Amino acid sequence: MGAVSEKKAPRPSALAGYALVAAAATSWGAQSIVAKVLLTSGLPPSWLISTRTALASVIVAGTLAAVKPGLLRVSARDLCELGLLGIVMALSQYTYYFALTRIPVATTLLVIYTSPLLVLAASVLIHGEPLERRDLIAAAATLVGAAFVVRAYEPEVLRLNALGLTASVFCAAAFAFYSLWGKRAAPAASPWTRVTYSLGTAAAFWLPLAPPWTLLQSAHPPAIWLGLAVVVVFGTLLPFGLFLSGLARISAAHASLTATLEPIVAAVVAYFVLGERLEPLQLVGGALVLGGIALLHIR
């Protein structure tokens, strides 16, 4: 492993990167409750993912075409790199939603948020980045904190299902790859260009498997349409744009660690919206996550 070294204070752009990734995690966490409601209402995961991806892709591509069409020009190499990013995005979303239909949210999030360890290990072993002592402490604090937030200390919360657990593990690996590849894919392109083409590829991937018009042509209560709009904007379009914008300013390891804010936000939203309880250990876990993230950019 790389040598332990001291870290300099982050540049202002790095602090903006942390803020952008934190905003993305907040958006993902807040909308996760809505996604869970849509899934438990009977919408198949493939329908929901295909429709949200297609709608988000049309919105961002149409906006760029109208406002700044020059951002839609990319090289063939960049297009291939962003295409791979989109396929990984599609698979990570499906495995996440599939896991939610099989195992509790707590179990799903706990497994998925082992991905920062995968990113940190890959950054050191594959890309040769130095291993910072502060990174290790921050990783331990955020992962233990995330485990507390999702109440991993209660055995009944962590009900296991082989398919659901497998999907969660795959999602963790996919999100780790997304963080690492998203840092390097088409680095000269605008974050919104990268979002446009990665979302477009993800939408094309799902098109023959779960055509979005299947859901759009069906009759649904107004609450379902409202929930779908929330998932499209706050679960897809906005957070992926924020995450890739932040990823351009900080390392993949730091971005994935900062994204562990998501279960905290999900727990808080569930407390206020669904009336779920927040236990003292969950509050301790939230403090650990926030402390671990703060440690990443303190001198």
Side-chain angles (χ1 to χ4, degrees):
M1 302 182 82
V4 175
S5 62
E6 289 299 321
K7 185 181 298 182
K8 297 179 181 179
R11 303 183 304 276
S13 61
L15 294 177
Y18 289 112
L20 288 165
V21 174
T26 300
S27 187
W28 273 321
Q31 67 84 43
S32 64
I33 305 302
V34 178
K36 179 71 174 180
V37 171
L38 291 175
L39 291 169
T40 55
S41 72
L43 289 183
S46 57
W47 282 15
L48 179 56
I49 293 169
S50 176
T51 305
R52 67 178 258 191
T53 306
L55 291 177
S57 176
V58 169
I59 291 172
V60 68
T63 301
L64 287 188
V67 176
K68 206 165 185 180
L71 292 181
L72 294 176
R73 290 194 291 269
V74 295
S75 67
R77 178 176 178 176
D78 287 349
L79 190 59
C80 291
E81 292 179 348
L82 294 175
L84 177 57
L85 191 67
I87 292 174
V88 174
M89 176 194 298
L91 294 175
S92 67
Q93 290 174 349
Y94 178 76
T95 50
Y96 173 60
Y97 281 168
F98 180 85
L100 287 181
T101 64
R102 297 286 181 142
I103 57 179
V105 176
T107 311
T108 303
L109 290 177
L110 181 61
V111 175
I112 289 173
Y113 279 100
T114 60
S115 63
L117 290 181
L118 300 177
V119 174
L120 186 59
S123 298
V124 174
L125 297 176
I126 299 176
H127 299 295
E129 295 181 8
L131 178 63
E132 307 283 354
R133 181 181 293 111
R134 189 170 286 116
D135 288 345
L136 290 176
I137 297 173
T142 53
L143 290 172
V144 171
F148 281 177
V149 169
V150 300
R151 305 201 335 258
Y153 48 83
E154 296 182 7
E156 65 274 14
V157 169
L158 298 181
R159 296 191 304 273
L160 297 183
N161 171 281
L163 287 176
L165 186 60
T166 300
S168 297
V169 171
F170 188 92
C171 184
F175 186 70
F177 182 86
Y178 184 88
S179 299
L180 291 162
W181 190 251
K183 179 71 177 176
R184 290 165 172 79
S190 160
W192 291 106
T193 301
R194 301 162 81 196
V195 169
T196 299
Y197 285 102
S198 58
L199 277 177
T201 305
F205 175 86
W206 280 111
L207 195 62
L209 301 174
W213 51 81
T214 303
L215 187 150
L216 295 174
Q217 291 177 347
S218 303
H220 299 288
I224 297 296
W225 294 116
L226 178 60
L228 181 60
V230 169
V231 169
V232 167
V233 176
F234 297 101
T236 312
L237 184 57
L238 182 62
F240 279 112
L242 292 171
F243 184 81
L244 289 176
S245 297
L247 196 58
R249 293 170 170 83
I250 59 178
S251 71
H254 287 188
S256 61
L257 284 172
T258 304
T260 53
L261 275 173
E262 181 180 346
I264 295 181
V265 175
V268 171
V269 172
Y271 173 79
F272 285 105
V273 177
L274 303 180
E276 295 184 2
R277 70 184 189 277
L278 277 177
E279 299 179 350
L281 279 179
Q282 287 180 287
L283 298 176
V284 171
L288 283 172
V289 172
L290 294 175
I293 293 171
L295 187 61
L296 293 177
H297 56 269
I298 291 178
R299 185 185 297 272

